[in-house]
Amino acid sequence: MEPLIIDGKRISKEIKDELKEKVAEYKSQGVEITLAVIQVGDDPASTVYVRNKKKACEYIGINSKSFELPGDTTEEELLDLIYKLNDDSSITGILVQLPVPDYIDPNKVINAISPKKDVDGFSPYSAGCLYLGVDGFVSCTPAGIVELLRRSNIEIDGKHCVIMGRSNIVGKPMGSLMLNNNATVTITHSHTKNLKEVCKTADILIVALGQKEFVTSEYVKEGAVVIDVGIHRDENNKLSGDVKYDEVAPHCSAITPVPGGVGPMTIAMLMYNCVQSIELIKTM
Ligand code: NDP
């Protein structure tokens, strides 16, 4: 069977082009969207992510304001900056690139961001809205996965979706989002018994383990849709995912590649949240 290879690059471009039009419309009404991007230290992977986010802002017409803080910034200094940006009416979204250095508590940082500017959707308020199925910022990677499915005409309603991983940024919000879209949801983790058997019951298998090429064809039902969230970079800078792509793909009806699948969608949905903030804050 030839699977549909879900093209995250094309779909993310489609979304960014739609957003570009929307931003131009806002601009013509005198509404400016400005994302504050905070990075602490100079972790090379974070620097690449931040650069790509700023590039996406530029493409769409969103202003970005960079705060590159030294690696020895204290928790208090970082929190003070966030509080200042919360109160600054010219800033519509705040993003702190994670991970922050070990001595800073990421939960305190996430909690400090005003729910009205929480474009990453990580705050307890945003997570609560998603859990309750009411309007709020949705964590970007799960939101991107639903857009990939929707724009590839893959039905979610009534499907059994197995999510491998229960992190606060991918697995858990993914579970809520699929449930809100009427899937029957199972979330697995490191204590799950009979993992292969559970995964093999999935119509849609979403893999967010952080284990390179962990998922083989033994985990996949014939004709399933497989979404690979994992990102691993080898010493030659080659990217791979949590799924053994070449082995698994022939058994799927649709699959996301790495790179070019979920990755580009995360940034597109961050941009979506930045634009969405203009409407969302009216309801908060
Ligand atoms: P975490 O490490 O936070 O979570 C991994 C989850 O997988 C945990 O719930 C863990 O279980 C579970 N798990 C790990 N190993 C096993 C195993 N052997 N059997 C069963 N369950 C297991 O990862 P994230 O959710 O943050 O990220 C997952 C992957 O996605 C990473 O590769 C990351 O780089 C990538 N990622 C990609 C993004 C993108 O834009 N494409 C965005 C975010 C992440 P337990 O809870 O029991 O420990």
Side-chain angles (χ1 to χ4, degrees):
M1 188 192 334
E2 273 296 308
L4 166 72
I5 297 165
I6 300 174
D7 187 348
K9 239 173 138 174
R10 180 185 60 75
I11 297 174
S12 68
K13 167 91 169 37
E14 200 174 284
I15 293 172
K16 284 191 279 188
D17 286 338
E18 290 165 13
L19 292 172
K20 198 173 179 169
E21 276 183 32
K22 185 97 192 146
V23 170
E25 213 178 291
Y26 276 130
K27 277 198 172 153
S28 71
Q29 299 160 10
V31 178
E32 288 284 332
I33 302 173
T34 304
L35 174 67
V37 183
I38 306 174
Q39 182 181 356
V40 185
D42 55 3
D43 171 62
S46 291
T47 303
V48 173
Y49 288 133
V50 163
R51 192 188 312 136
N52 289 340
K53 288 169 186 176
K54 287 195 287 200
K55 251 171 52 190
C57 283
E58 205 176 314
Y59 181 75
I60 291 167
I62 294 175
N63 308 312
S64 67
K65 216 166 166 187
S66 280
F67 296 88
E68 284 152 21
L69 307 183
D72 60 356
T73 302
T74 65
E75 187 175 272
E76 201 186 346
E77 284 167 336
L78 176 57
L79 295 178
D80 279 346
L81 172 61
I82 295 172
Y83 298 141
K84 239 172 55 199
L85 295 170
N86 283 343
D87 292 338
D88 181 342
S89 60
S90 72
I91 300 290
T92 51
I94 301 173
L95 178 148
V96 179
Q97 184 62 46
L98 299 176
V100 283
D102 288 348
Y103 57 86
I104 296 178
D105 178 353
N107 289 320
K108 272 195 196 165
V109 173
I110 291 167
N111 286 344
I113 298 171
S114 160
K116 295 183 178 187
K117 302 189 180 186
D118 175 33
V119 287
D120 255 338
F122 293 159
S123 74
Y125 182 88
S126 301
C129 288
L130 179 60
Y131 187 76
L132 297 174
V134 298
D135 282 349
F137 291 110
V138 179
S139 178
C140 303
T141 302
I145 290 170
V146 166
E147 278 303 302
L148 280 181
L149 295 170
R150 206 170 64 77
R151 291 174 188 248
S152 306
N153 296 316
I154 295 168
E155 180 84 25
I156 300 174
D157 198 310
K159 296 289 170 64
H160 182 209
C161 176
V162 175
I163 298 158
M164 300 177 78
R166 57 171 166 181
S167 71
N168 289 341
I169 62 165
V170 187
K172 281 183 202 158
M174 192 74 242
S176 296
L177 200 53
M178 292 306 269
L179 193 59
N180 295 348
N181 280 279
N182 296 324
T184 302
V185 176
T186 303
I187 300 182
T188 71
H189 45 79
S190 64
H191 296 247
T192 300
K193 303 260 191 297
N194 305 322
L195 187 61
K196 281 182 190 166
E197 287 73 17
V198 174
C199 293
K200 240 186 153 130
T201 63
D203 302 312
I204 302 173
L205 181 65
I206 300 177
V207 189
L209 288 171
Q211 306 281 346
K212 186 176 170 178
E213 299 185 332
F214 182 95
V215 170
T216 60
S217 55
E218 287 179 286
Y219 289 78
V220 179
K221 178 168 81 176
E222 210 59 37
V225 173
V226 174
I227 305 291
D228 188 354
V229 184
I231 304 180
H232 308 275
R233 195 181 288 274
D234 73 10
E235 59 284 355
N236 302 315
N237 248 354
K238 189 176 175 291
L239 292 180
S240 54
D242 285 352
V243 175
K244 215 169 196 174
Y245 183 88
D246 290 341
E247 186 192 313
V248 169
H251 298 278
C252 304
S253 57
I255 186 165
T256 57
V258 178
V262 174
M265 293 301 290
T266 300
I267 293 188
M269 296 318 285
L270 171 70
M271 297 298 109
Y272 175 86
N273 281 349
C274 290
V275 176
Q276 179 79 343
S277 70
I278 302 300
E279 295 304 322
L280 258 186
I281 52 169
K282 295 179 187 162
T283 65
M284 287 179 174

